[in-house]
Amino acid sequence: MADMTTLATARPLALDPDRLLPVEPRTREIARRLYAAVAGLPIISPHGHVPPQWLAEDVAFSDPTSLLVSPDHYVFRLLHARGVALDELGVGGRPLTAAESRRAWHLLAQHWPAFRGTPSRFWMDSVLADVFGVTERLAPESADAIYDRVAEAIAAPDFRPRALMERFGIDILATTDDPVDDLHHHRTLRDDGFRRRVVPTFRPDRYLEPARADFADLMTDLSRASGVDTGTYRGYLAALEERRRFFKANGAVSSDHSHADVVTLTLDENEAARIYDAALRGVVCSGDATAFRRHMLVEMARMSTEDGLVMTLHPGVHRNHHSPTLERFGPDTGHDIPTTVEFTRGLQPLLDRFGTAEGFQLILFTLDETVLSREIAPLAGFYPSVYAGAPWWFLDAPEAVRRFRGAVTETAGFYRTSGFIDDTRAFLSIPARHDMSRRLDSGYLAQLVAEHRLDEDEALETVIDLVSTIPRKAFKL
Amino acid sequence: MADMTTLATARPLALDPDRLLPVEPRTREIARRLYAAVAGLPIISPHGHVPPQWLAEDVAFSDPTSLLVSPDHYVFRLLHARGVALDELGVGGRPLTAAESRRAWHLLAQHWPAFRGTPSRFWMDSVLADVFGVTERLAPESADAIYDRVAEAIAAPDFRPRALMERFGIDILATTDDPVDDLHHHRTLRDDGFRRRVVPTFRPDRYLEPARADFADLMTDLSRASGVDTGTYRGYLAALEERRRFFKANGAVSSDHSHADVVTLTLDENEAARIYDAALRGVVCSGDATAFRRHMLVEMARMSTEDGLVMTLHPGVHRNHHSPTLERFGPDTGHDIPTTVEFTRGLQPLLDRFGTAEGFQLILFTLDETVLSREIAPLAGFYPSVYAGAPWWFLDAPEAVRRFRGAVTETAGFYRTSGFIDDTRAFLSIPARHDMSRRLDSGYLAQLVAEHRLDEDEALETVIDLVSTIPRKAFKL
Amino acid sequence: MADMTTLATARPLALDPDRLLPVEPRTREIARRLYAAVAGLPIISPHGHVPPQWLAEDVAFSDPTSLLVSPDHYVFRLLHARGVALDELGVGGRPLTAAESRRAWHLLAQHWPAFRGTPSRFWMDSVLADVFGVTERLAPESADAIYDRVAEAIAAPDFRPRALMERFGIDILATTDDPVDDLHHHRTLRDDGFRRRVVPTFRPDRYLEPARADFADLMTDLSRASGVDTGTYRGYLAALEERRRFFKANGAVSSDHSHADVVTLTLDENEAARIYDAALRGVVCSGDATAFRRHMLVEMARMSTEDGLVMTLHPGVHRNHHSPTLERFGPDTGHDIPTTVEFTRGLQPLLDRFGTAEGFQLILFTLDETVLSREIAPLAGFYPSVYAGAPWWFLDAPEAVRRFRGAVTETAGFYRTSGFIDDTRAFLSIPARHDMSRRLDSGYLAQLVAEHRLDEDEALETVIDLVSTIPRKAFKL
């Protein structure tokens, strides 16, 4: 390990054991007891974006910046807002040289005050202190020493991805995968006898949007992967069913869907076939394409009732808001911006058909907080199939999580929620993210106890369920 | 009373005197003093759904399930979400046998953890402990003993509806009634000299929606009830005016309206008449029907300015979301789901005409919390006629009530709000619901005092006004 | 000073030094230390509505009512909601006589309980106690004594506007001005060598809305003021550019825009010219007029990138909701009511062109709180040009400010926000409004420290930045 020379201006970094717990002393006492019961429980991560390749190939991470900055859109987007160019951070372009990587780390240190009050600050502090043993706060003066310490650590075998997954106590990790993926990374892990469960997730968005310019090519890919002729609508459905079967056989427990909205409808089969044919020929009109996509969401639900994959919805994002950035750096570069979303009317046709179907499970996520108390909690409070998804993306932060519990619990309770999902590419932050969630739920439940709305034995049982039985039930694990 | 044998695993049920008050000690002290001043004040319930028949006939309740579970959609909808079939709970079908009633009670006990953090938990605990003297928490082990205790209690004369209304200190109870109802239950109560005030509420929704298949039949009913020929639009208006007069003569103080939206407009009389005629003949088009309904909301306001009935709006619900459940169990079976709603533009035509009219009072309720700070509070903070309605339905829960005060008070203060309404069919929970509201308002005001935003003498006066003068003024009681 | 005879029923008015700070003792201790560091810092007021004439002419205020009631729509709108007629308060009509002014003050005192829990209560108490040394709470019994004390005070030279601006420590005060204004008041202040900075703000709304009946007249005015022929679209653009130059030369740092929405688009120049020509002839259709206004918002951004004026948006208000009040009392008489607003899709065309343009700065304000976490914080967390504007109008109140920080900070941090703006005509309340903001930010940061999400040295640096460097950067001061 590099020597952590304490500079005159360096401030200590120490994670307080009570961090994120309620401040009021009696409530904090209760929260401590609740948190103590779940702090060390295994991590279940049923939805996220860690590349399976990392675990399958188990190669060392290359450098601190490409590990902790370049893949983390929470971090680089706020640096971009401060005027830092994305290519200085290794985003969406060629790998950084050693000198560039260190320089990027200095940019992070220089702009570190911009992250005050954000969850990225909490996660990064946790990673630096807990995973790398850093004892100084990130700042221009400490940047080099911290960079060196991280760089040295990740060169060691015990910091390879599989060793970290063991060390982090991650029992189950779900990745997100293209329907035509051959899942060879997942199979490698299985063939290697890796003890931790790494499961794929079926994410077919592109294959359900016939307005895409590459739709016909995608259908060719789908046909090749499935061995089913996608020249007809029926063949297309069969190919999708086949790929879901393949995913399920390779461990998948859910399909994930992220479109602009969650409006659903059912087309007559002839009509669906007509639109599909037009899409293959590249002559589909926009209204038809939208109708088809909405119809296909119902078809996905229908397939779920047959193959048992849990269906998760993550709607309501305007993708790639700034087209010059998209053109230069590609997608997922920090400018996906949320929009309003509507579930009550939109999902009615789907739920009318499958809302009470045996074994069907539908988890609703949102970036539009207004739907939590108004739509999602009431739906999850009636339909046996519907679960209120945990706070996601911009909302997996302390105060947003508290707002989530405040908005959902009074209508749907705790047992109609999904359990925490980290939804992250930032592999090293997974423990810190789950820890944050456990601390916040402990605090929320402690508040209920302190207000005499719940007895402490019940709060204890609930907080344990929230990290164990509840996600297992919601995701059929 | 049945013997409450304490089983090894049974947990005590005890209502803490500080329940729902703020946890921070100095704030709690203030809140205790405020709450003490209102805890015992009479209950004013100016909007709700208790069947007047219960009080008029004053017969004993039949069994614990049909009293506490089957009529309470808060309770049975969450059980349904847990996979319990509605007919097992006595919802929307034939009465349960004694064995079925006990079995349903066991289902409630088994799924009781699902209600943690919900207001139903708070209300049920209050009813069991305060009304029935239960001392054990509901659980599978205690279910039989609690069932027996409740069953025994409700067989006694002092648990009949009228005795309970006296015991609960309910001074005024408003029911919700169809415009053609002859109000004989209300008249029976008056003729019997029952000392407590039970008043009807004029709820004409069905008669204002000409798109309904049964509209012509409804008009026939309206004609019969009013003695006015409804064959013309003018007759229709006169018939509605007559029924409002009849309701008012029988004690009504308000009319209640719950449509999909609160858009308002004024049609030319010829145009209104044309649509009405088409509706009578069953040939009204959807756009016309909607326009007519929106026009009629303004007509209702106009009638209010003439007869003085307070107008209350409860919009923004997608009724009967799951049609298979509707077909099998009927309406009001737990799957009415809120939607977005808009007041600023929608109500402008109505308020432009009547917003400052002498004596006109319009109380706005919402299930869409976003309108509270954005639309309702600003409207109530300018128009002398507009009151911000208390949190309702999914939102009459501790944290939602706090959000309501937080969203409304800073713009409209306390004196432009309606006072609490319980809006419930669950007769036995009325005291617990009003108690919850008093505790929360005490806590909210205590917080203002603790932050030195208000002096305690003012908070004390305000909390008393909130349960006495404020609802009396808003509902003209 | 008038003698403040203490009546038997009069209650003391005393501003607690801890007002608005968190109640929990350890958090309050931290907050006190943070607040102490900013309590006395100079006030920067980069957006507001104080008439520049007051400072330029520096005449004494006439009477308590016309100083503290008639110009403050927060105060008179809630009195109106209580049934007080606007003309009794000196709103929108002739000046009040001395007797009427005193009578209006009594109406305020009589209805003072209506303001409990509102920020107006906090501001007025602060003004009365801090500025005028009042020691009794406003009430019917104390109204005359307080009126007399205020009346006596404002007659003295040290209560003239310039003296107060010095005493209040207002370093910079921005006014809001019409594009054709000759800014002679601002020039008078400069010529007088007044040491405090009073800067104009370019507010061109009327000149960007070609549907207005007076559009051609406005163009004539614009031509006269700019010396540029506005007979063509190109001339119109040049005239606007010229007026922006004039404003900038006279100290302006920003342009302000408040339209019904913030939808943006770019028209082809020929199309823009066609619509402009039609507007000059009074024959523009509504769709074209709206498109032109949306196009002109992008043109304003384009000009900003050239002349460097910061662009601020205050959208989403239904102006003059009650037309009888508009007709009788004019605009800005308390019935502007917020509506929903959308930024993500609406601003996309503007941001696609200028979102990363060098030197461009765009501050987004909202009365629709739902967009804070969903749209504004994500936009400010990516685009270097975008700042999240402080809570405004109905939302510049303690709990709304806390909600703002809770909604924005976790995504955008503190350094992508605008700093406080008071947006007020109520000159005497400016110190109280900034003080409120400083107390609330101190409390919010103290909470982060108490939860171990931030170290106290960082919180201290941040709270100082929030009242100094942050508004200076956002408004280029």
Side-chain angles (χ1 to χ4, degrees):
Chain A
M1 288 284 166
D3 182 52
M4 296 291 289
T5 310
T6 301
L7 299 176
T9 54
R11 299 274 185 167
L13 170 63
L15 306 181
D16 192 282
D18 287 332
R19 61 195 184 277
L20 294 181
L21 299 188
V23 176
E24 196 282 318
R26 285 187 297 183
T27 318
R28 181 169 281 189
E29 280 299 323
I30 301 166
R32 277 178 183 152
R33 290 193 292 270
L34 300 179
Y35 174 66
V38 294
L41 292 185
I43 289 172
I44 298 171
S45 176
H47 180 80
H49 296 278
V50 170
Q53 182 183 5
W54 289 4
L55 288 154
E57 301 185 352
D58 201 33
V59 294
F61 297 111
S62 72
D63 64 276
T65 296
S66 68
L67 175 62
L68 299 174
V69 178
S70 315
D72 190 338
H73 59 80
Y74 291 79
V75 171
F76 68 69
R77 75 172 177 238
L78 203 44
L79 291 173
H80 180 266
R82 298 271 289 186
V84 179
L86 291 181
D87 45 10
E88 292 187 278
L89 301 169
V91 176
R94 61 165 179 73
L96 298 178
T97 65
E100 288 168 338
S101 168
R102 184 175 293 269
R103 190 172 168 283
W105 188 258
H106 270 274
L107 286 169
L108 176 66
Q110 177 190 330
H111 291 287
W112 201 223
F115 291 87
R116 289 174 187 162
T118 70
S120 296
R121 162 64 184 266
F122 180 85
W123 297 325
M124 188 68 83
D125 276 0
S126 297
V127 168
L128 293 177
D130 263 358
V131 181
F132 295 109
V134 170
T135 58
E136 288 179 305
R137 199 163 73 200
L138 185 60
E141 311 84 41
S142 62
D144 274 322
I146 294 172
Y147 185 91
D148 291 339
R149 173 168 281 238
V150 173
E152 186 178 333
I154 59 179
D158 58 335
F159 277 81
R160 298 249 172 116
R162 291 193 192 182
L164 286 176
M165 188 164 165
E166 295 277 359
R167 175 175 162 192
F168 292 164
I170 304 173
D171 267 8
I172 300 166
L173 183 76
T175 62
T176 300
D177 308 274
D178 193 282
V180 306
D181 194 294
D182 63 6
L183 304 180
H184 67 280
H185 294 310
H186 296 84
R187 284 183 284 135
T188 296
L189 284 161
R190 190 189 55 202
D191 295 348
D192 286 359
F194 182 54
R195 295 184 320 154
R196 303 281 166 167
R197 195 168 158 193
V198 182
V199 304
T201 300
F202 187 78
R203 172 77 173 258
D205 297 350
R206 300 193 298 157
Y207 301 84
L208 310 183
E209 303 212 324
R212 292 179 63 97
D214 59 355
F215 189 72
D217 295 339
L218 288 166
M219 292 306 100
T220 305
D221 296 346
L222 181 62
S223 179
R224 189 177 304 122
S226 63
V228 178
D229 180 1
T230 57
T232 64
Y233 171 65
R234 289 214 171 169
Y236 164 70
L237 291 184
L240 287 168
E241 286 167 347
E242 171 53 30
R243 293 312 294 168
R244 292 173 61 106
R245 259 194 297 277
F246 176 76
F247 268 63
K248 191 163 187 200
N250 283 279
V253 296
S254 69
S255 71
D256 183 41
H257 306 271
S258 181
H259 300 286
D261 61 56
V262 292
V263 178
T264 58
L265 55 81
T266 297
L267 295 173
D268 173 83
E269 186 175 342
N270 291 334
E271 178 70 356
R274 182 189 65 73
I275 298 172
Y276 182 78
D277 293 344
L280 281 189
R281 298 195 316 274
V283 296
V284 73
C285 74
S286 153
D288 278 356
T290 299
F292 187 86
R293 183 252 288 167
R294 291 168 173 176
H295 164 80
M296 284 306 298
L297 212 59
V298 180
E299 281 298 294
M300 288 289 119
R302 193 261 304 158
M303 293 180 199
S304 275
T305 64
E306 291 167 6
D307 61 26
L309 289 182
V310 173
M311 186 170 189
T312 69
L313 301 184
H314 289 88
V317 189
H318 185 118
R319 302 276 175 187
N320 306 309
H321 197 263
H322 191 239
S323 54
T325 299
L326 172 68
E327 280 153 32
R328 183 152 170 216
F329 300 103
D332 300 321
T333 45
H335 49 108
D336 293 345
I337 309 290
T339 60
T340 52
V341 69
E342 203 280 339
F343 287 85
T344 300
R345 292 188 191 95
L347 286 179
Q348 196 277 330
L350 187 156
L351 289 170
D352 215 44
R353 283 182 61 185
F354 302 116
T356 56
E358 181 74 22
F360 180 54
Q361 295 188 190
L362 177 67
I363 310 182
L364 307 180
F365 295 90
T366 185
L367 298 173
D368 176 354
E369 297 182 79
T370 71
V371 300
L372 289 172
S373 73
R374 191 180 60 222
E375 303 177 23
I376 289 181
L379 289 167
F382 173 76
Y383 286 104
S385 57
V386 176
Y387 291 80
W392 161 54
W393 199 341
F394 295 99
L395 303 176
D396 62 347
E399 289 167 74
V401 167
R402 290 173 185 148
R403 291 196 297 270
F404 167 80
R405 288 280 173 224
V408 167
T409 308
E410 296 185 321
T411 289
F414 293 97
Y415 291 85
R416 304 299 309 150
T417 63
S418 71
F420 184 69
I421 61 154
D422 54 69
D423 188 48
T424 195
R425 281 170 182 79
F427 184 55
L428 265 72
S429 74
I430 290 177
R433 288 167 189 257
H434 287 260
D435 183 60
M436 186 186 86
S437 170
R438 293 170 188 193
R439 290 174 179 276
L440 294 167
D441 283 343
S442 298
Y444 184 80
L445 283 156
Q447 183 73 22
L448 293 184
V449 173
E451 292 184 5
H452 308 289
R453 296 168 63 189
L454 204 61
D455 293 329
E456 188 168 331
D457 68 295
E458 300 174 290
L460 185 65
E461 187 181 85
T462 305
V463 78
I464 294 171
D465 284 341
L466 281 170
V467 298
S468 56
T469 59
I470 285 172
R472 284 184 190 279
K473 178 162 189 289
F475 281 91
K476 296 187 178 176
L477 293 165
Chain B
M1 287 283 164
D3 182 53
M4 295 291 290
T5 311
T6 302
L7 299 176
T9 52
R11 301 272 184 168
L13 170 64
L15 305 182
D16 193 282
D18 288 331
R19 61 194 184 278
L20 294 180
L21 299 187
V23 176
E24 196 280 319
R26 285 186 298 182
T27 318
R28 180 168 282 189
E29 279 300 324
I30 303 165
R32 277 178 184 153
R33 289 193 292 270
L34 300 179
Y35 173 66
V38 294
L41 293 186
I43 290 172
I44 297 171
S45 175
H47 179 80
H49 297 278
V50 170
Q53 181 183 6
W54 289 4
L55 288 154
E57 301 185 351
D58 201 34
V59 293
F61 297 111
S62 73
D63 64 275
T65 295
S66 68
L67 175 63
L68 299 173
V69 178
S70 314
D72 189 338
H73 59 79
Y74 291 78
V75 171
F76 68 69
R77 75 172 178 238
L78 202 45
L79 291 173
H80 179 265
R82 298 272 287 186
V84 178
L86 292 180
D87 44 11
E88 294 187 276
L89 301 169
V91 176
R94 59 165 180 74
L96 298 179
T97 65
E100 287 168 338
S101 168
R102 184 175 293 268
R103 189 171 169 281
W105 188 258
H106 271 273
L107 286 169
L108 175 67
Q110 177 191 330
H111 291 287
W112 200 223
F115 291 87
R116 290 173 187 164
T118 68
S120 295
R121 162 64 184 267
F122 179 85
W123 298 324
M124 188 69 82
D125 277 0
S126 298
V127 168
L128 293 177
D130 263 358
V131 182
F132 295 107
V134 170
T135 58
E136 288 180 306
R137 198 163 74 201
L138 184 59
E141 311 83 42
S142 62
D144 274 322
I146 294 172
Y147 186 91
D148 291 339
R149 172 168 282 239
V150 173
E152 186 178 334
I154 59 181
D158 57 335
F159 278 81
R160 297 248 172 118
R162 291 193 191 181
L164 288 175
M165 188 164 165
E166 296 276 359
R167 175 174 162 193
F168 292 165
I170 304 174
D171 267 9
I172 300 167
L173 182 75
T175 62
T176 300
D177 308 274
D178 194 281
V180 306
D181 195 293
D182 63 6
L183 304 180
H184 67 279
H185 295 310
H186 297 83
R187 285 183 283 137
T188 296
L189 285 161
R190 190 188 54 201
D191 295 346
D192 285 0
F194 183 53
R195 296 184 319 153
R196 304 280 166 168
R197 194 167 159 195
V198 180
V199 303
T201 300
F202 187 77
R203 172 78 173 259
D205 298 351
R206 301 193 298 157
Y207 301 84
L208 309 183
E209 304 213 322
R212 293 179 62 98
D214 59 355
F215 189 72
D217 295 338
L218 288 167
M219 292 306 100
T220 304
D221 296 345
L222 181 61
S223 179
R224 189 176 305 123
S226 62
V228 179
D229 180 1
T230 57
T232 66
Y233 171 65
R234 290 213 171 170
Y236 163 70
L237 292 183
L240 287 168
E241 287 167 346
E242 170 55 31
R243 293 312 293 168
R244 292 173 63 105
R245 260 194 298 277
F246 176 77
F247 268 63
K248 191 162 185 202
N250 283 279
V253 295
S254 69
S255 72
D256 182 43
H257 306 270
S258 180
H259 300 287
D261 60 55
V262 291
V263 178
T264 57
L265 55 80
T266 297
L267 295 174
D268 174 84
E269 185 175 343
N270 291 334
E271 178 70 355
R274 182 189 64 74
I275 298 172
Y276 182 78
D277 292 345
L280 281 189
R281 298 195 316 274
V283 295
V284 72
C285 75
S286 153
D288 278 356
T290 299
F292 187 87
R293 182 252 289 165
R294 291 167 173 176
H295 164 80
M296 283 308 297
L297 212 57
V298 180
E299 282 299 295
M300 287 290 119
R302 193 259 306 158
M303 293 180 198
S304 275
T305 64
E306 293 167 6
D307 61 26
L309 289 183
V310 173
M311 187 171 187
T312 71
L313 301 183
H314 289 88
V317 189
H318 186 119
R319 302 275 175 188
N320 307 309
H321 197 263
H322 191 239
S323 54
T325 299
L326 172 66
E327 279 153 33
R328 185 153 168 215
F329 299 103
D332 300 322
T333 46
H335 49 108
D336 294 345
I337 309 289
T339 61
T340 52
V341 70
E342 204 278 339
F343 288 84
T344 300
R345 293 188 190 94
L347 285 179
Q348 197 277 330
L350 187 156
L351 290 170
D352 216 43
R353 284 182 61 186
F354 303 115
T356 57
E358 182 74 22
F360 180 54
Q361 295 188 191
L362 177 67
I363 310 181
L364 307 180
F365 295 88
T366 184
L367 297 173
D368 176 355
E369 297 182 78
T370 71
V371 300
L372 289 172
S373 73
R374 191 180 61 222
E375 304 177 22
I376 288 180
L379 289 168
F382 172 77
Y383 286 103
S385 56
V386 175
Y387 292 79
W392 161 54
W393 199 341
F394 295 100
L395 303 176
D396 62 348
E399 290 167 73
V401 168
R402 290 172 185 150
R403 291 196 298 270
F404 166 81
R405 288 280 173 222
V408 167
T409 308
E410 296 185 321
T411 289
F414 293 96
Y415 291 85
R416 304 298 308 147
T417 63
S418 72
F420 184 69
I421 61 153
D422 55 69
D423 189 46
T424 195
R425 281 172 183 78
F427 184 56
L428 266 70
S429 74
I430 290 177
R433 289 166 188 257
H434 286 260
D435 183 60
M436 186 186 86
S437 170
R438 292 170 186 193
R439 290 173 178 275
L440 294 166
D441 283 343
S442 299
Y444 185 80
L445 284 156
Q447 183 74 22
L448 293 184
V449 174
E451 292 184 4
H452 307 289
R453 296 167 65 189
L454 203 61
D455 294 329
E456 189 168 330
D457 68 295
E458 299 175 290
L460 185 65
E461 186 180 86
T462 305
V463 79
I464 293 170
D465 284 342
L466 281 170
V467 298
S468 55
T469 59
I470 286 173
R472 283 183 190 279
K473 179 163 189 288
F475 281 91
K476 298 188 179 175
L477 293 165
Chain C
M1 287 285 164
D3 182 53
M4 294 291 288
T5 311
T6 302
L7 299 175
T9 53
R11 299 275 184 166
L13 170 63
L15 305 182
D16 192 282
D18 288 331
R19 60 195 185 279
L20 294 181
L21 299 188
V23 176
E24 195 282 318
R26 286 187 297 184
T27 317
R28 180 170 279 189
E29 280 299 323
I30 302 165
R32 278 178 182 152
R33 290 192 292 270
L34 300 178
Y35 173 67
V38 294
L41 293 185
I43 289 172
I44 298 171
S45 176
H47 180 79
H49 297 277
V50 171
Q53 181 183 5
W54 289 4
L55 287 153
E57 302 184 350
D58 201 33
V59 294
F61 298 110
S62 71
D63 64 277
T65 295
S66 69
L67 175 61
L68 299 173
V69 178
S70 314
D72 189 337
H73 59 77
Y74 291 79
V75 171
F76 68 68
R77 74 173 178 241
L78 203 45
L79 290 174
H80 179 266
R82 298 271 288 187
V84 179
L86 292 180
D87 44 11
E88 293 187 278
L89 301 169
V91 176
R94 60 163 180 74
L96 298 178
T97 64
E100 287 168 338
S101 168
R102 185 176 292 269
R103 190 172 167 279
W105 188 258
H106 270 274
L107 286 170
L108 175 66
Q110 176 191 330
H111 290 287
W112 200 223
F115 292 87
R116 290 174 187 164
T118 69
S120 295
R121 162 65 185 266
F122 180 85
W123 298 325
M124 187 68 82
D125 277 0
S126 298
V127 168
L128 293 177
D130 263 357
V131 181
F132 295 108
V134 170
T135 58
E136 287 179 307
R137 200 164 73 201
L138 185 60
E141 310 85 286
S142 62
D144 274 322
I146 294 173
Y147 186 91
D148 291 339
R149 172 167 282 238
V150 173
E152 185 177 335
I154 60 180
D158 57 335
F159 278 82
R160 297 248 173 117
R162 291 194 192 182
L164 287 176
M165 188 165 164
E166 295 277 358
R167 174 174 163 194
F168 292 164
I170 303 174
D171 267 8
I172 300 166
L173 182 76
T175 61
T176 300
D177 308 275
D178 193 282
V180 305
D181 194 294
D182 63 5
L183 303 180
H184 67 280
H185 295 309
H186 296 84
R187 285 184 282 135
T188 297
L189 285 161
R190 190 188 53 203
D191 296 347
D192 285 358
F194 183 53
R195 297 183 320 151
R196 304 281 165 167
R197 195 168 159 194
V198 181
V199 304
T201 300
F202 187 77
R203 173 79 172 258
D205 297 351
R206 300 193 299 157
Y207 301 83
L208 309 183
E209 304 211 323
R212 292 178 62 98
D214 59 355
F215 190 72
D217 295 339
L218 289 166
M219 292 306 100
T220 304
D221 296 345
L222 181 61
S223 179
R224 188 177 305 125
S226 63
V228 180
D229 179 0
T230 56
T232 66
Y233 172 66
R234 288 212 173 172
Y236 163 70
L237 290 184
L240 287 168
E241 287 167 346
E242 171 53 30
R243 292 312 293 167
R244 292 173 62 105
R245 258 194 299 278
F246 177 76
F247 268 63
K248 191 164 185 199
N250 282 280
V253 296
S254 69
S255 72
D256 182 42
H257 305 271
S258 181
H259 299 287
D261 60 57
V262 291
V263 178
T264 58
L265 54 81
T266 298
L267 295 173
D268 173 83
E269 185 176 342
N270 291 334
E271 178 70 356
R274 181 189 64 73
I275 298 172
Y276 182 78
D277 293 346
L280 282 189
R281 298 194 316 274
V283 296
V284 72
C285 75
S286 153
D288 278 355
T290 300
F292 187 86
R293 182 252 289 166
R294 290 168 174 176
H295 163 81
M296 282 308 297
L297 212 58
V298 180
E299 281 299 294
M300 287 290 119
R302 193 259 306 158
M303 293 180 198
S304 276
T305 65
E306 292 167 6
D307 60 26
L309 289 183
V310 173
M311 186 170 188
T312 70
L313 301 184
H314 289 88
V317 189
H318 186 117
R319 301 274 175 190
N320 306 310
H321 197 264
H322 191 238
S323 54
T325 299
L326 172 67
E327 280 152 34
R328 181 151 172 216
F329 300 102
D332 301 320
T333 44
H335 48 107
D336 293 345
I337 309 289
T339 61
T340 52
V341 69
E342 204 279 338
F343 288 85
T344 299
R345 293 187 190 95
L347 285 179
Q348 197 277 332
L350 187 156
L351 290 171
D352 216 44
R353 283 182 62 184
F354 302 115
T356 58
E358 183 74 23
F360 180 55
Q361 295 187 192
L362 177 66
I363 309 182
L364 307 180
F365 295 89
T366 184
L367 298 173
D368 175 355
E369 297 182 79
T370 71
V371 300
L372 289 171
S373 73
R374 190 180 61 222
E375 304 177 24
I376 289 180
L379 289 167
F382 172 77
Y383 287 103
S385 56
V386 176
Y387 292 79
W392 161 55
W393 200 340
F394 295 100
L395 302 177
D396 62 348
E399 289 166 75
V401 168
R402 290 172 184 149
R403 290 196 298 269
F404 167 81
R405 287 281 172 222
V408 167
T409 309
E410 296 185 321
T411 288
F414 293 97
Y415 290 85
R416 305 298 308 147
T417 62
S418 71
F420 184 69
I421 61 155
D422 55 68
D423 188 48
T424 195
R425 281 171 182 79
F427 184 54
L428 266 71
S429 74
I430 290 178
R433 288 167 189 257
H434 286 260
D435 183 61
M436 186 185 87
S437 171
R438 293 169 188 196
R439 290 173 179 277
L440 294 167
D441 283 343
S442 298
Y444 185 80
L445 283 156
Q447 183 74 20
L448 293 184
V449 174
E451 292 184 6
H452 307 288
R453 296 167 63 188
L454 203 61
D455 294 330
E456 190 169 330
D457 69 295
E458 300 175 289
L460 186 65
E461 187 181 85
T462 305
V463 78
I464 294 170
D465 284 342
L466 282 170
V467 298
S468 55
T469 60
I470 285 173
R472 284 183 189 279
K473 179 163 189 286
F475 281 91
K476 298 188 177 175
L477 293 166

